[in-house]
Amino acid sequence: MHEEITEAIDFVGRLLDTRFPAASMAAFKEKLYCLLSERFVDHWDVTQPTRGNAYRALSNFNSQLDPILIQAAVSARLAPQSIMTHLPQDFIIWIDPLTVSYRIGDHSNVLNLYKNGKSLKQQRTKLQSPSSTPIRISPPPSPAKNSTKVQQNLHTKKEQVQPATTIAPPNTPPPSATTTQTEVLVH
């Protein structure tokens, strides 16, 4: 339970750290940890982790800040309104046994911060090996640019490839349509 609470508080702290003085944030996080630990004592069942997850959620939803966040803010001498202002709108974080997840926005995806005893920070360090070299992958050019280049190339080729006209001597009748001879210059 304590790892999950710590993970959730660290995440909320990262969302608010740059907005408030360090001492106030430390007091806020410490009080929030105490309040959540007390609240979850009889509401933590590892065998049924989703049971009671609404009770273990913290939210800033529909312009209403969670009462526990208000208590922690007041205890740390931070204005609850400023906490609500600086947290994302429609933010909710669920603190469940073996899982901490959050959602920002009413219709967005639920993302995990902590799952099966592994923090998101630990998962990132596994993915980033120190010996790897980042590569840059450019997206393919847009079709509109390609079609413009193709049209320019066709126009240029039309200018370059023109049939050569033959000049007939003055007394010679013009050639008929079936016997037209043209020369094509090929580069």
Side-chain angles (χ1 to χ4, degrees), residues 61-96:
F61 207 74
N62 291 333
S63 299
Q64 292 185 336
L65 190 62
D66 195 280
I68 286 188
L69 292 172
I70 292 172
Q71 281 182 300
V74 169
S75 175
R77 297 187 180 166
L78 295 171
Q81 183 63 33
S82 63
I83 297 285
M84 186 173 79
T85 301
H86 295 300
L87 279 177
Q89 286 185 322
D90 296 337
F91 167 77
I92 188 164
I93 186 166
W94 293 274
I95 307 163
D96 297 324

Short mmCIF file of all heavy atoms in Angstrom, two decimals, residues 61-96:
data_model
loop_
_atom_site.label_atom_id
_atom_site.label_comp_id
_atom_site.label_asym_id
_atom_site.label_seq_id
_atom_site.Cartn_x
_atom_site.Cartn_y
_atom_site.Cartn_z
N PHE A 61 -12.27 17.01 -10.54
CA PHE A 61 -13.24 16.70 -11.59
C PHE A 61 -14.45 17.61 -11.47
O PHE A 61 -14.94 17.86 -10.37
CB PHE A 61 -13.66 15.23 -11.45
CG PHE A 61 -14.10 14.59 -12.71
CD1 PHE A 61 -13.19 14.24 -13.69
CD2 PHE A 61 -15.44 14.34 -12.94
CE1 PHE A 61 -13.59 13.65 -14.86
CE2 PHE A 61 -15.86 13.75 -14.11
CZ PHE A 61 -14.93 13.40 -15.07
N ASN A 62 -14.96 18.09 -12.60
CA ASN A 62 -16.11 18.99 -12.63
C ASN A 62 -15.90 20.20 -11.73
O ASN A 62 -16.79 20.62 -11.00
CB ASN A 62 -17.40 18.27 -12.24
CG ASN A 62 -17.84 17.27 -13.27
OD1 ASN A 62 -17.55 17.43 -14.45
ND2 ASN A 62 -18.53 16.24 -12.83
N SER A 63 -14.68 20.73 -11.75
CA SER A 63 -14.31 21.91 -10.95
C SER A 63 -14.50 21.69 -9.46
O SER A 63 -14.79 22.63 -8.71
CB SER A 63 -15.10 23.14 -11.40
OG SER A 63 -14.82 23.42 -12.75
N GLN A 64 -14.34 20.45 -9.01
CA GLN A 64 -14.41 20.13 -7.58
C GLN A 64 -13.16 19.37 -7.19
O GLN A 64 -12.89 18.29 -7.72
CB GLN A 64 -15.65 19.30 -7.26
CG GLN A 64 -16.94 20.06 -7.44
CD GLN A 64 -18.14 19.25 -7.02
OE1 GLN A 64 -18.11 18.03 -7.00
NE2 GLN A 64 -19.22 19.94 -6.67
N LEU A 65 -12.40 19.93 -6.29
CA LEU A 65 -11.17 19.31 -5.81
C LEU A 65 -11.52 18.28 -4.73
O LEU A 65 -12.39 18.51 -3.89
CB LEU A 65 -10.24 20.39 -5.25
CG LEU A 65 -8.83 19.98 -4.90
CD1 LEU A 65 -8.09 19.49 -6.15
CD2 LEU A 65 -8.07 21.15 -4.30
N ASP A 66 -10.84 17.16 -4.77
CA ASP A 66 -11.05 16.09 -3.81
C ASP A 66 -10.85 16.61 -2.38
O ASP A 66 -9.90 17.36 -2.13
CB ASP A 66 -10.07 14.94 -4.11
CG ASP A 66 -10.46 13.68 -3.41
OD1 ASP A 66 -10.17 13.54 -2.21
OD2 ASP A 66 -11.05 12.81 -4.08
N PRO A 67 -11.70 16.22 -1.43
CA PRO A 67 -11.58 16.70 -0.05
C PRO A 67 -10.21 16.39 0.60
O PRO A 67 -9.72 17.20 1.39
CB PRO A 67 -12.70 15.99 0.70
CG PRO A 67 -13.70 15.66 -0.36
CD PRO A 67 -12.92 15.43 -1.62
N ILE A 68 -9.63 15.27 0.26
CA ILE A 68 -8.31 14.95 0.84
C ILE A 68 -7.24 15.91 0.31
O ILE A 68 -6.36 16.33 1.05
CB ILE A 68 -7.93 13.48 0.56
CG1 ILE A 68 -8.78 12.59 1.45
CG2 ILE A 68 -6.46 13.23 0.78
CD1 ILE A 68 -8.41 11.15 1.46
N LEU A 69 -7.32 16.28 -0.96
CA LEU A 69 -6.38 17.25 -1.51
C LEU A 69 -6.58 18.62 -0.85
O LEU A 69 -5.62 19.34 -0.59
CB LEU A 69 -6.53 17.35 -3.03
CG LEU A 69 -6.11 16.12 -3.83
CD1 LEU A 69 -6.49 16.27 -5.29
CD2 LEU A 69 -4.63 15.86 -3.68
N ILE A 70 -7.83 18.96 -0.54
CA ILE A 70 -8.12 20.22 0.15
C ILE A 70 -7.51 20.20 1.55
O ILE A 70 -6.86 21.16 1.97
CB ILE A 70 -9.65 20.49 0.21
CG1 ILE A 70 -10.19 20.75 -1.19
CG2 ILE A 70 -9.96 21.65 1.15
CD1 ILE A 70 -11.70 20.82 -1.27
N GLN A 71 -7.69 19.09 2.28
CA GLN A 71 -7.14 18.98 3.63
C GLN A 71 -5.62 19.09 3.61
O GLN A 71 -5.02 19.78 4.45
CB GLN A 71 -7.52 17.64 4.25
CG GLN A 71 -8.91 17.56 4.79
CD GLN A 71 -9.15 16.20 5.42
OE1 GLN A 71 -9.06 15.18 4.74
NE2 GLN A 71 -9.48 16.20 6.70
N ALA A 72 -4.98 18.40 2.67
CA ALA A 72 -3.52 18.45 2.58
C ALA A 72 -3.04 19.85 2.22
O ALA A 72 -2.04 20.34 2.75
CB ALA A 72 -3.02 17.43 1.55
N ALA A 73 -3.75 20.53 1.34
CA ALA A 73 -3.38 21.89 0.95
C ALA A 73 -3.50 22.85 2.13
O ALA A 73 -2.59 23.66 2.39
CB ALA A 73 -4.25 22.36 -0.21
N VAL A 74 -4.59 22.77 2.85
CA VAL A 74 -4.79 23.65 4.00
C VAL A 74 -3.72 23.39 5.05
O VAL A 74 -3.17 24.33 5.65
CB VAL A 74 -6.22 23.46 4.59
CG1 VAL A 74 -6.37 24.16 5.93
CG2 VAL A 74 -7.25 23.98 3.59
N SER A 75 -3.41 22.13 5.29
CA SER A 75 -2.38 21.78 6.26
C SER A 75 -1.02 22.33 5.86
O SER A 75 -0.22 22.71 6.72
CB SER A 75 -2.32 20.26 6.40
OG SER A 75 -1.26 19.89 7.24
N ALA A 76 -0.73 22.38 4.57
CA ALA A 76 0.55 22.88 4.07
C ALA A 76 0.51 24.39 3.81
O ALA A 76 1.46 24.96 3.27
CB ALA A 76 0.93 22.16 2.79
N ARG A 77 -0.60 25.02 4.17
CA ARG A 77 -0.80 26.46 3.99
C ARG A 77 -0.74 26.87 2.51
O ARG A 77 -0.18 27.89 2.14
CB ARG A 77 0.20 27.26 4.81
CG ARG A 77 0.01 27.02 6.28
CD ARG A 77 0.84 27.89 7.12
NE ARG A 77 0.56 27.53 8.51
CZ ARG A 77 1.29 27.91 9.52
NH1 ARG A 77 2.32 28.67 9.31
NH2 ARG A 77 0.97 27.54 10.73
N LEU A 78 -1.35 26.02 1.70
CA LEU A 78 -1.53 26.32 0.28
C LEU A 78 -3.02 26.53 0.04
O LEU A 78 -3.85 25.86 0.65
CB LEU A 78 -1.04 25.15 -0.59
CG LEU A 78 0.44 24.83 -0.54
CD1 LEU A 78 0.72 23.52 -1.29
CD2 LEU A 78 1.26 25.95 -1.15
N ALA A 79 -3.34 27.44 -0.83
CA ALA A 79 -4.74 27.70 -1.14
C ALA A 79 -5.30 26.54 -1.96
O ALA A 79 -4.74 26.21 -3.02
CB ALA A 79 -4.88 29.00 -1.90
N PRO A 80 -6.37 25.89 -1.51
CA PRO A 80 -6.95 24.79 -2.29
C PRO A 80 -7.33 25.22 -3.71
O PRO A 80 -7.20 24.44 -4.65
CB PRO A 80 -8.19 24.39 -1.49
CG PRO A 80 -7.89 24.81 -0.09
CD PRO A 80 -7.06 26.05 -0.22
N GLN A 81 -7.75 26.48 -3.86
CA GLN A 81 -8.10 26.98 -5.19
C GLN A 81 -6.88 26.96 -6.11
O GLN A 81 -7.00 26.64 -7.30
CB GLN A 81 -8.67 28.40 -5.09
CG GLN A 81 -9.13 28.97 -6.41
CD GLN A 81 -10.29 28.18 -7.01
OE1 GLN A 81 -11.12 27.65 -6.31
NE2 GLN A 81 -10.31 28.10 -8.33
N SER A 82 -5.71 27.25 -5.58
CA SER A 82 -4.50 27.22 -6.42
C SER A 82 -4.12 25.79 -6.79
O SER A 82 -3.63 25.55 -7.89
CB SER A 82 -3.34 27.95 -5.74
OG SER A 82 -2.99 27.29 -4.55
N ILE A 83 -4.35 24.84 -5.89
CA ILE A 83 -4.11 23.43 -6.21
C ILE A 83 -5.05 23.02 -7.35
O ILE A 83 -4.63 22.41 -8.34
CB ILE A 83 -4.34 22.51 -4.98
CG1 ILE A 83 -3.36 22.83 -3.87
CG2 ILE A 83 -4.27 21.04 -5.37
CD1 ILE A 83 -1.95 22.36 -4.07
N MET A 84 -6.31 23.39 -7.22
CA MET A 84 -7.29 23.04 -8.25
C MET A 84 -6.93 23.70 -9.59
O MET A 84 -7.06 23.08 -10.64
CB MET A 84 -8.69 23.48 -7.82
CG MET A 84 -9.78 23.02 -8.77
SD MET A 84 -11.43 23.36 -8.16
CE MET A 84 -11.59 25.07 -8.55
N THR A 85 -6.46 24.91 -9.54
CA THR A 85 -6.09 25.64 -10.76
C THR A 85 -4.92 24.98 -11.47
O THR A 85 -4.89 24.89 -12.70
CB THR A 85 -5.75 27.10 -10.42
OG1 THR A 85 -6.87 27.70 -9.81
CG2 THR A 85 -5.35 27.88 -11.67
N HIS A 86 -3.94 24.50 -10.70
CA HIS A 86 -2.71 23.98 -11.31
C HIS A 86 -2.75 22.49 -11.64
O HIS A 86 -1.90 22.01 -12.38
CB HIS A 86 -1.51 24.30 -10.43
CG HIS A 86 -1.24 25.77 -10.34
ND1 HIS A 86 -0.95 26.53 -11.44
CD2 HIS A 86 -1.24 26.62 -9.29
CE1 HIS A 86 -0.78 27.79 -11.08
NE2 HIS A 86 -0.95 27.86 -9.78
N LEU A 87 -3.73 21.77 -11.10
CA LEU A 87 -3.91 20.39 -11.54
C LEU A 87 -4.69 20.40 -12.86
O LEU A 87 -5.50 21.30 -13.09
CB LEU A 87 -4.70 19.59 -10.49
CG LEU A 87 -3.93 19.06 -9.30
CD1 LEU A 87 -4.87 18.36 -8.32
CD2 LEU A 87 -2.82 18.12 -9.72
N PRO A 88 -4.46 19.43 -13.71
CA PRO A 88 -5.23 19.40 -14.96
C PRO A 88 -6.73 19.27 -14.67
O PRO A 88 -7.14 18.66 -13.68
CB PRO A 88 -4.71 18.13 -15.66
CG PRO A 88 -3.42 17.81 -15.01
CD PRO A 88 -3.49 18.35 -13.62
N GLN A 89 -7.53 19.84 -15.55
CA GLN A 89 -8.98 19.71 -15.42
C GLN A 89 -9.38 18.27 -15.67
O GLN A 89 -8.76 17.58 -16.48
CB GLN A 89 -9.69 20.61 -16.41
CG GLN A 89 -9.64 22.06 -16.06
CD GLN A 89 -10.47 22.88 -17.03
OE1 GLN A 89 -10.51 22.61 -18.22
NE2 GLN A 89 -11.14 23.88 -16.50
N ASP A 90 -10.42 17.83 -15.02
CA ASP A 90 -10.93 16.47 -15.16
C ASP A 90 -9.82 15.44 -14.97
O ASP A 90 -9.64 14.52 -15.77
CB ASP A 90 -11.63 16.28 -16.51
CG ASP A 90 -12.86 17.16 -16.62
OD1 ASP A 90 -13.40 17.55 -15.57
OD2 ASP A 90 -13.28 17.47 -17.75
N PHE A 91 -9.09 15.62 -13.90
CA PHE A 91 -7.98 14.73 -13.54
C PHE A 91 -8.43 13.77 -12.46
O PHE A 91 -9.11 14.18 -11.50
CB PHE A 91 -6.81 15.59 -13.03
CG PHE A 91 -5.72 14.81 -12.35
CD1 PHE A 91 -4.82 14.08 -13.09
CD2 PHE A 91 -5.60 14.81 -10.97
CE1 PHE A 91 -3.81 13.37 -12.47
CE2 PHE A 91 -4.60 14.11 -10.34
CZ PHE A 91 -3.70 13.38 -11.09
N ILE A 92 -8.08 12.50 -12.62
CA ILE A 92 -8.40 11.51 -11.59
C ILE A 92 -7.25 10.51 -11.53
O ILE A 92 -6.68 10.14 -12.56
CB ILE A 92 -9.76 10.82 -11.86
CG1 ILE A 92 -10.16 9.94 -10.69
CG2 ILE A 92 -9.74 10.04 -13.15
CD1 ILE A 92 -11.63 9.55 -10.69
N ILE A 93 -6.89 10.12 -10.32
CA ILE A 93 -5.84 9.12 -10.12
C ILE A 93 -6.40 8.05 -9.19
O ILE A 93 -7.00 8.35 -8.16
CB ILE A 93 -4.54 9.76 -9.58
CG1 ILE A 93 -3.41 8.75 -9.51
CG2 ILE A 93 -4.75 10.44 -8.25
CD1 ILE A 93 -2.04 9.36 -9.30
N TRP A 94 -6.26 6.79 -9.63
CA TRP A 94 -6.73 5.65 -8.84
C TRP A 94 -5.54 4.99 -8.18
O TRP A 94 -4.55 4.66 -8.84
CB TRP A 94 -7.44 4.63 -9.73
CG TRP A 94 -8.71 5.11 -10.30
CD1 TRP A 94 -9.95 5.08 -9.74
CD2 TRP A 94 -8.90 5.69 -11.61
NE1 TRP A 94 -10.88 5.61 -10.59
CE2 TRP A 94 -10.26 5.99 -11.75
CE3 TRP A 94 -8.03 5.98 -12.67
CZ2 TRP A 94 -10.79 6.55 -12.89
CZ3 TRP A 94 -8.56 6.56 -13.81
CH2 TRP A 94 -9.91 6.84 -13.92
N ILE A 95 -5.64 4.77 -6.88
CA ILE A 95 -4.58 4.12 -6.11
C ILE A 95 -5.12 2.78 -5.65
O ILE A 95 -5.89 2.70 -4.69
CB ILE A 95 -4.16 5.00 -4.91
CG1 ILE A 95 -3.81 6.40 -5.40
CG2 ILE A 95 -2.99 4.37 -4.17
CD1 ILE A 95 -3.77 7.45 -4.31
N ASP A 96 -4.77 1.73 -6.36
CA ASP A 96 -5.26 0.39 -6.08
C ASP A 96 -4.09 -0.53 -5.71
O ASP A 96 -2.94 -0.23 -6.04
CB ASP A 96 -5.97 -0.17 -7.32
CG ASP A 96 -7.19 0.64 -7.70
OD1 ASP A 96 -7.89 1.13 -6.80
OD2 ASP A 96 -7.44 0.79 -8.92
#
